[in-house]
Amino acid sequence: ALENKVVKSKVGEKVGLPCCHKIPSSESLLNYRVYWQKNTTDVVLAYAEGKLISTHERYKNRTEMDSRDLTLWISSVEIMDNGSYQCVVQQLKHSQNSKVLCDETVTFFVTADFSTPNITTEVSNSSCESTEMVVTCSSHGGFPKPKISGALNNVSVIWNTSWASESSFSLYNITGKLRLNVTKDVSITCSIEYNGFVKTTSLPLRKTNDCVVPTQPLSYNVITASSIIIIVFLLAIILAARYLQRRVCSHCCKSQDSVEEGVKEYTKPPMSVKVTSKTSSL
């Protein structure tokens, strides 16, 4: 019987991969050959007539097989253990050739947890109407290759995604970037999905309230016109001051001349009266 079974485990755990046959209680492992192999090429371990006859170098001291249900136990799971495994069971008979009882494939998915997604923002431009920013979501140290998804106020967004890993069986780092034009306060959500697991982080994004309009430098024409106006205004003040000063001085001089004439008139000698002889005789 051919069956496809799926087993999942995390790095460092102990996991059991089930076989397709169980030895009856009336029999023992002495009557069987059992092969556990990976990707149809590498023999993980093999038993014949109850004895261990082969063990893969990479699985030494990390694997064992149950003598009754033939489960393959792997301890301290590694990323390299990820893959397809086959359990092949043959029954040994003295009078006949060995008989294949079952050949079953088990798909083993190894998982390494990613870190909780970290969201950061960088404001590139801000005005009264909107705030332009770059949002970055990153996570690291996980397996297998993940997907990144997100939402802006529950509306799906598409991240510009990049991955980093030394090989297909190494831990992954993932980074997603978004360029947003925020016109109001919103909430951004970032989710990392891998092998049926999901890790999510949310962050509120607030539009900045910096509405100060920067002052523009005055143009050359404006500066020139302003200078001319100021100079004309100052000249007008100076001329007006001089005109008032002259008028006041002129008025003072006229008043002084009138006073001097009055004084001269007052100090004139009295006119002499000549008495003629005719008058005397009268």
Side-chain angles (χ1 to χ4, degrees):
L2 294 178
E3 295 183 23
N4 286 327
K5 295 183 178 181
V6 176
V7 176
K8 296 182 179 181
S9 179
K10 293 184 179 181
V11 171
E13 295 180 345
K14 182 178 181 179
V15 65
L17 305 183
C19 186
C20 48
H21 184 75
K22 183 176 181 180
I23 297 177
S25 58
S26 58
E27 299 181 11
S28 68
L29 193 58
L30 296 174
N31 301 325
Y32 295 88
R33 286 199 188 104
V34 181
Y35 298 92
W36 270 105
Q37 55 192 28
K38 181 183 179 185
N39 299 330
T40 69
T41 56
D42 299 329
V43 177
V44 177
L45 54 75
Y47 277 85
E49 299 178 347
K51 295 181 180 180
L52 179 65
I53 60 174
S54 177
T55 303
H56 194 281
E57 184 68 26
R58 207 173 59 78
Y59 290 92
K60 279 185 177 180
N61 302 321
R62 292 200 306 121
T63 55
E64 58 181 334
M65 189 185 73
D66 189 280
S67 60
R68 186 62 59 185
D69 62 15
L70 310 181
T71 297
L72 175 65
W73 289 95
I74 304 176
S75 301
S76 301
V77 170
E78 301 173 357
I79 292 177
M80 290 292 293
D81 296 335
N82 190 81
S84 296
Y85 292 76
Q86 286 178 295
C87 180
V88 181
V89 180
Q90 297 176 344
Q91 187 176 30
L92 303 177
K93 293 185 177 181
H94 297 289
S95 59
Q96 301 177 3
N97 294 329
S98 60
K99 176 184 178 181
V100 177
L101 297 179
C102 72
D103 181 351
E104 182 182 79
T105 299
V106 180
T107 303
F108 182 34
F109 289 113
V110 178
T111 301
D113 281 334
F114 281 84
S115 63
T116 301
N118 181 41
I119 302 177
T120 59
T121 60
E122 180 181 354
V123 176
S124 57
N125 191 19
S126 180
S127 66
C128 291
E129 292 77 19
S130 64
T131 300
E132 295 180 10
M133 63 177 64
V134 176
V135 181
T136 301
C137 178
S138 59
S139 181
H140 62 273
F143 187 87
K145 186 177 181 179
K147 295 181 180 180
I148 185 171
S149 62
L152 189 66
N153 276 6
N154 298 322
V155 178
S156 297
V157 294
I158 299 177
W159 297 85
N160 184 11
T161 310
S162 60
W163 296 268
S165 179
E166 294 181 0
S167 69
S168 58
F169 287 99
S170 299
L171 298 178
Y172 283 90
N173 299 332
I174 185 171
T175 301
K177 289 183 178 293
L178 279 177
R179 186 175 293 275
L180 300 176
N181 190 16
V182 180
T183 58
K184 61 180 180 179
D185 293 348
V186 293
S187 177
I188 185 74
T189 300
C190 177
S191 299
I192 305 297
E193 304 173 21
Y194 56 102
N195 206 13
F197 297 92
V198 179
K199 286 196 173 185
T200 302
T201 298
S202 296
L203 181 72
L205 303 179
R206 303 189 183 279
K207 188 183 85 67
T208 59
N209 294 321
D210 184 11
C211 292
V212 178
V213 179
T215 56
Q216 298 294 333
L218 296 176
S219 65
Y220 176 77
N221 292 335
V222 174
I223 295 174
T224 303
S226 301
S227 300
I228 293 174
I229 293 173
I230 294 173
I231 292 172
V232 171
F233 180 73
L234 292 176
L235 289 174
I237 293 176
I238 293 171
L239 292 175
R242 289 186 177 181
Y243 173 76
L244 292 175
Q245 184 179 6
R246 289 179 179 178
R247 188 170 182 180
V248 171
C249 290
S250 176
H251 178 72
C252 292
C253 292
K254 288 182 179 180
S255 300
Q256 186 174 0
D257 292 342
S258 299
V259 172
E260 290 178 354
E261 288 179 0
V263 172
K264 289 179 179 180
E265 190 70 25
Y266 179 77
T267 55
K268 283 182 178 181
M271 298 180 62
S272 58
V273 181
K274 293 183 179 181
V275 181
T276 62
S277 57
K278 290 182 178 182
T279 303
S280 305
S281 63
L282 290 176

